[in-house]
Amino acid sequence: MAVAQAVLRCGAIHVPVPRSNPRERVARIAADARPALIVTDHGEQVAGTVSLPCADLLKEAAHGPGAAHHPVRPADPAYILYTSGSTGTPKGVCLSHGNALAFVDWACRELDLTAADRLANHAAFSFDLSVFDLYGAFRAGASVHLIGETLAQAAEPLVDFLLERRITVWYSVPSALVLMAEYGELLERGPGALRACVFAGERFPLKQLKDLRRGWPGVRMLNWYGPTETNVCTSYEVTAADLARTAAVPIGSPVAGDEVSLDGGEILVSGPTVMLGYWGGEPQAGPYRTGDLGRYDADGLLEYRGRVDDMAKVRGYRIEPAEVDGVLVAHETVRDAVVLVVGADLDARLHAFVVPETGRAPGLAELRRHCAVFLPPYMTIDALHVVSGFPRTPNGKIDRAALGGLVAQEVGA
């Protein structure tokens, strides 16, 4: 976090990459971002780049003069967040100081953040949810309490953290809260000092959401929506009235000065939080097409209805199955591969269908180890189906619906 602050204060661009990313993926990101310097806290070096361990950086800082603050303009790039890419290569979402500030200022006002607040940073720095945790806290003069990658998946210790640190504002994907409720006695132990609970990144299963709303009557609960390219662009506050709902809560109304519209059912966003563009590509021009489908309910609130393409959310992260396809085909035993996301919301899993090379068919454990070399843990396949070929539609495309039917047959068998 200190390095991120230093980078931004000297007017440079920050590119956070979690240590859970394998070396090969970090190298691909470095090749695309072309960083002037890589700072690492775990000794990893990337060939062809200038790298510096955190320990050495701290030694230099202790004996050198403080760097002067470098003024920046709102339109200047601030950070690049790399997401899964449909071409098989991670793509960098480039956001400006103005993009971040528009969202952070709105969020601070919406949640009435003050210096007395205590925020928990559950998301990795490369995940856009962390922008609120870190910079919302800095903006309000509040404290932010970092949650390590190991702790982030541990139910009972997470609840301990929430209560012992007296967290007042929590922000995470719904799956983290469901995990804490099912295995960490979150509801039984109460919210402690918590006054606001915000969630985003995936749909919150209605039953679990109602349980949380019912169990925490004094805690504000907000459903935020927006792809990395726009950060948060809509919001909906979940109240006691939603206990009567029989369908998912809406994603709400535009926020942070953004305008949200529908074109053929696809959600379009324009306004101050929309990215500068993809790093190395053309500047973003006009409204950003999210690829998400939406519709308005009877109250004029926006509802999320799915995707127009194959991109999906798995374990709270955005995943392009084509990127996983490319990694699988690189394995010596795989001739061709197609990855499907089976299930929805918290039950979404990655199923790989592979056509083996002549000789032997690969096993699930073998391909999971292979994925771990090139992909972050959340993109590792969950199931393997070895097939002799892929079913095709009349126009020659792979029939993904038919492949999904094979999964259903196996489950029912």
Side-chain angles (χ1 to χ4, degrees):
M1 189 164 64
V3 171
Q5 283 287 296
V7 170
L8 294 173
R9 291 186 185 207
C10 73
I13 304 172
H14 180 229
V15 186
V17 181
R19 69 163 62 196
S20 59
N21 275 241
R23 182 179 302 179
E24 284 74 8
R25 184 179 176 85
V26 174
R28 291 203 302 274
I29 291 174
D32 185 72
R34 304 184 301 280
L37 174 67
I38 293 179
V39 180
T40 174
D41 64 354
H42 53 99
E44 291 287 344
Q45 303 294 316
V46 178
T49 66
V50 179
S51 299
L52 183 68
C54 277
D56 293 349
L57 185 66
L58 291 173
K59 290 178 184 177
E60 292 289 334
H63 298 95
H69 183 273
H70 183 83
V72 295
R73 298 166 300 177
D76 288 340
Y79 55 93
I80 302 172
L81 302 181
Y82 274 83
T83 67
S84 179
S86 59
T87 62
T89 300
K91 58 183 179 181
V93 179
C94 187
L95 295 121
S96 70
H97 289 269
N99 292 153
L101 194 58
F103 161 64
V104 169
D105 277 349
W106 167 80
C108 287
R109 293 192 302 269
E110 175 66 21
L111 293 170
D112 298 316
L113 287 188
T114 72
D117 277 308
R118 303 166 68 85
L119 281 65
N121 174 230
H122 181 271
F125 289 175
S126 62
F127 195 10
D128 57 345
L129 271 68
S130 67
V131 174
F132 167 72
D133 297 327
L134 301 180
Y135 300 102
F138 297 157
R139 187 69 164 165
S143 63
V144 58
H145 302 253
L146 305 183
I147 299 173
E149 289 184 21
T150 302
L151 181 61
Q153 303 300 321
E156 188 172 350
L158 270 180
V159 179
D160 292 340
F161 183 96
L162 172 72
L163 299 177
E164 292 170 4
R165 298 293 184 98
R166 296 189 58 75
I167 300 300
T168 61
V169 179
W170 175 274
Y171 185 29
S172 75
V173 293
S175 52
L177 291 162
V178 172
L179 178 76
M180 294 161 71
E182 291 186 351
Y183 301 103
E185 298 185 338
L186 178 64
L187 291 172
E188 292 82 354
R189 298 175 67 181
L194 196 67
R195 65 176 187 83
C197 176
V198 188
F199 46 89
E202 60 193 359
R203 284 190 286 196
F204 207 133
L206 188 60
K207 179 184 182 302
Q208 289 91 333
L209 179 56
K210 286 183 176 181
D211 289 343
L212 198 60
R213 176 66 287 164
R214 192 178 294 109
W216 288 355
V219 177
R220 289 186 68 191
M221 295 177 60
L222 295 101
N223 180 27
W224 285 357
Y225 160 82
T228 303
E229 288 85 350
T230 71
N231 207 305
V232 171
C233 58
T234 70
S235 174
Y236 177 77
E237 182 155 0
V238 181
T239 68
D242 291 297
L243 294 175
R245 281 191 177 273
T246 57
V249 297
I251 56 177
S253 303
V255 299
D258 285 337
E259 295 182 5
V260 179
S261 60
L262 296 179
D263 180 16
E266 183 180 4
I267 299 173
L268 276 59
V269 184
S270 59
T273 73
V274 176
M275 67 172 180
L276 296 175
Y278 294 110
W279 182 248
E282 295 295 321
Q284 173 66 25
Y288 173 71
R289 305 189 73 95
T290 65
D292 290 336
L293 294 170
R295 71 178 181 189
Y296 293 105
D297 68 10
D299 296 319
L301 299 172
L302 194 59
E303 295 179 328
Y304 176 81
R305 303 296 296 171
R307 290 288 301 175
V308 299
D309 56 20
D310 296 327
M311 193 274 282
K313 287 289 184 73
V314 178
R315 292 176 271 270
Y317 291 87
R318 188 168 85 179
I319 288 176
E320 291 282 4
E323 185 174 355
V324 189
D325 295 348
V327 168
L328 292 173
V329 171
H331 193 272
E332 60 184 6
T333 67
V334 177
R335 180 185 305 169
D336 203 355
V338 171
V339 171
L340 293 185
V341 177
V342 178
D345 304 326
L346 304 189
D347 296 323
R349 296 293 182 266
L350 293 174
H351 285 244
F353 296 81
V354 304
V355 177
E357 291 286 5
T358 55
R360 67 176 181 86
L364 175 60
E366 181 181 11
L367 289 185
R368 283 176 60 87
R369 287 193 297 269
H370 174 71
C371 286
V373 175
F374 299 95
L375 300 169
Y378 61 85
M379 294 180 69
T380 298
I381 61 173
D382 299 293
L384 173 65
H385 311 269
V386 178
V387 296
S388 58
F390 299 131
R392 302 279 174 174
T393 63
N395 60 7
K397 294 183 178 181
I398 294 174
D399 191 336
R400 294 175 176 270
L403 289 177
L406 293 178
V407 176
Q409 290 176 16
E410 292 182 12
V411 172

